[in-house]
């Protein structure tokens, strides 16, 4: 009994990956805050060397209060906004691939109305968002948007992330509520080209059997990350990279609804031969599943549906 409790405590605390670069910026706010054991650094009067804000014509403003219960206070209760370009310049400690996350809460901020946001976001050589109208992405006014990218950074380089209002429209503005930069294992998603045994991890549907290689000069845009089964695995319960694992129902599971089954959540999977290293996904992703169980017949057709941008 004592040992199983101890084991539970340890498995919750020790993460299998410890990112060297781990920065969360709370835009339009001052000081440090620690919701859900994550340190967010304000970008107002900040004296950290980890980032600087270039072009100061931007302003900070708060979201209307009270913040709806489904919207997390940090980083969504404040934003940085501007009708002209502004840039965050990040000092990254290590080279290699990073998660770059952008958090948006389209709502009313001072004189900025939600339906007038229209802007592009560039990071290094990549245009991550083009003519992005945040209010088009949400169904109601109590929703937030998180965009996640992977991008490689060379050693000694700064990562500049720029917000550029679309110039062909007047009165439009750019805004941002939160930015995260988090290191990831070198070959979690990217292909290890020096390893002949790593052919690439994915095959592209309709493009034969040759694995698709993801090269360090490429950037990735997360479209969906879904845990099949009953559990959402929130960023704080990831293996250390603060990834969010959405639950598959009711959002994606569309046809036939096999039950979620779960193992004992206090157990740990056995990572045989490190084929999939333990940081690849948190244990709870493996410990629940959907099973056809006794309903299984040849035409019991389970379908998950994902909308994708053509
Ligand atoms: C993950 O695996 C590594 C290497 O196999 C091991 O050193 C580490 O203790 C494991 N971490 C956890 C939290 O299980
Ligand atoms: C953004 O989308 C909203 C919702 O469709 C629309 O009302 C608004 O005009 C759009 N804004 C711009 C600047 O295009
Ligand atoms: C951006 O492009 C320049 C010139 O093409 C290249 O030298 C540099 O390595 C690129 N940077 C990244 C981060 O891909
Ligand atoms: C980032 O911006 C700063 C300031 O404008 C500039 O000095 C630096 O060269 C930029 N870095 C990169 C990698 O573009
Ligand atoms: C990449 O592959 C090479 C050759 O097998 C190996 O020595 C190296 O450790 C791999 N890198 C990582 C980070 O796994
Ligand atoms: C299962 O559903 C898919 C998508 O609707 C369809 O293409 C497929 O033929 C179905 N298979 C069976 C065995 O019904």
């Amino acid at each position: 009994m004592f040992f199983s409790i101890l084991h539970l405590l340890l498995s919750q605390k020790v993460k299998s990956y410890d990112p060297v670069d781990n920065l969360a910026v709370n835009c339009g706010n001052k000081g440090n805050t620690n919701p859900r054991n994550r340190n967010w650094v304000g970008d107002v009067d900040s004296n950290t060397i980890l980032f600087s804000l270039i072009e100061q014509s931007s302003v900070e403003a708060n979201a209307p209060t009270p913040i709806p219960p489904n919207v997390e206070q940090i980083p969504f209760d404040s934003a940085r906004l501007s009708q002209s370009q502004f840039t965050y310049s990040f000092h990254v400690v290590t080279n290699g691939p990073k998660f770059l996350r952008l958090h948006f809460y389209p709502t009313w901020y001072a004189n900025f109305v939600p339906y007038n946001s229209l802007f592009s976001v560039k990071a290094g050589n990549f245009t991550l968002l083009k003519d992005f109208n945040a209010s088009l992405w949400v169904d109601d006014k109590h929703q937030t948007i998180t965009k996640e990218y992977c991008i490689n950074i060379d050693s000694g380089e700064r990562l500049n992330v720029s917000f550029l209002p679309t110039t062909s429209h007047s009165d439009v503005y750019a805004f941002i509520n939160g930015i995260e930069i988090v290191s990831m294992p070198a070959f979690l998603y990217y292909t290890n080209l020096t390893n002949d045994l790593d052919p690439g991890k994915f095959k592209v549907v309709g493009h034969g059997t040759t694995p698709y290689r993801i090269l360090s000069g490429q950037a990735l845009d997360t479209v969906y990350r879904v845990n099949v089964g009953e559990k959402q695995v929130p960023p704080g319960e990831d293996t250390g990279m603060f990834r969010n694992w959405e639950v598959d129902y009711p959002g994606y599971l569309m046809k036939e609804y096999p039950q979620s089954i779960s193992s004992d959540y206090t157990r740990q999977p056995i990572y045989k031969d490190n084929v999939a290293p333990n940081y690849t996904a948190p244990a709870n992703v493996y410990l629940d599943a959907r099973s056809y169980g006794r309903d299984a017949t040849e035409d019991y057709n389970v379908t998950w549906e994902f909308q994708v941008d053509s």
Side-chain angles (χ1 to χ4, degrees), residues 54-55 87 89 124 157-160:
I54 306 162
E55 282 145 61
T87 298
S89 184
E157 235 178 52
R158 286 186 82 87
L159 177 65
N160 291 348

Side-chain angles (χ1 to χ4, degrees), residues 115 118 133 135-136 172:
Y115 44 84
L118 191 67
N133 175 345
S135 57
L136 253 182
V172 298

Side-chain angles (χ1 to χ4, degrees), residues 258-276:
Q259 291 225 320
S260 172
I261 51 161
S262 58
S263 177
D264 172 0
Y265 284 117
T266 61
R267 284 172 49 189
Q268 286 294 313
I270 296 159
Y271 300 93
K272 192 166 179 285
D273 299 336
N274 235 23
V275 173

Side-chain angles (χ1 to χ4, degrees), residues 185-187 192-198 279:
F187 303 114
N192 184 352
L193 287 179
T194 61
N195 183 355
D196 296 335
L197 297 175
D198 187 359
Y279 52 66

Side-chain angles (χ1 to χ4, degrees), residues 22-27 29-43 51 72-76 101-103 146 177-181 235 242:
N22 178 10
L23 178 65
V25 180
N26 186 11
C27 305
N29 231 318
K30 278 192 172 113
N32 288 3
T33 36
N34 291 278
R36 302 170 300 278
N37 290 323
R38 184 89 203 272
N39 185 43
W40 288 82
V41 189
D43 69 352
F51 70 91
E72 277 165 1
Q73 191 100 8
I74 308 296
F76 295 112
R101 298 193 185 95
L102 305 173
H103 299 278
T146 291
N177 298 81
I179 305 176
E180 288 176 76
I181 308 241
F242 303 96

Side-chain angles (χ1 to χ4, degrees), residues 193-247:
L193 287 179
T194 61
N195 183 355
D196 296 335
L197 297 175
D198 187 359
K201 295 182 177 73
F202 310 96
K203 297 187 178 85
V204 179
V205 176
H207 286 262
T209 55
T210 312
Y212 183 75
R213 297 184 153 196
I214 301 174
L215 308 177
S216 62
Q218 293 173 304
L220 301 173
D221 177 348
T222 305
V223 185
Y224 297 104
R225 181 182 293 110
V226 174
N227 177 28
V228 171
E230 66 193 356
K231 283 216 166 189
Q232 186 219 347
V233 185
E237 293 172 25
D238 189 33
T239 54
M241 295 170 240
F242 303 96
R243 295 170 297 179
N244 184 41
W245 302 74
E246 287 182 86
V247 69

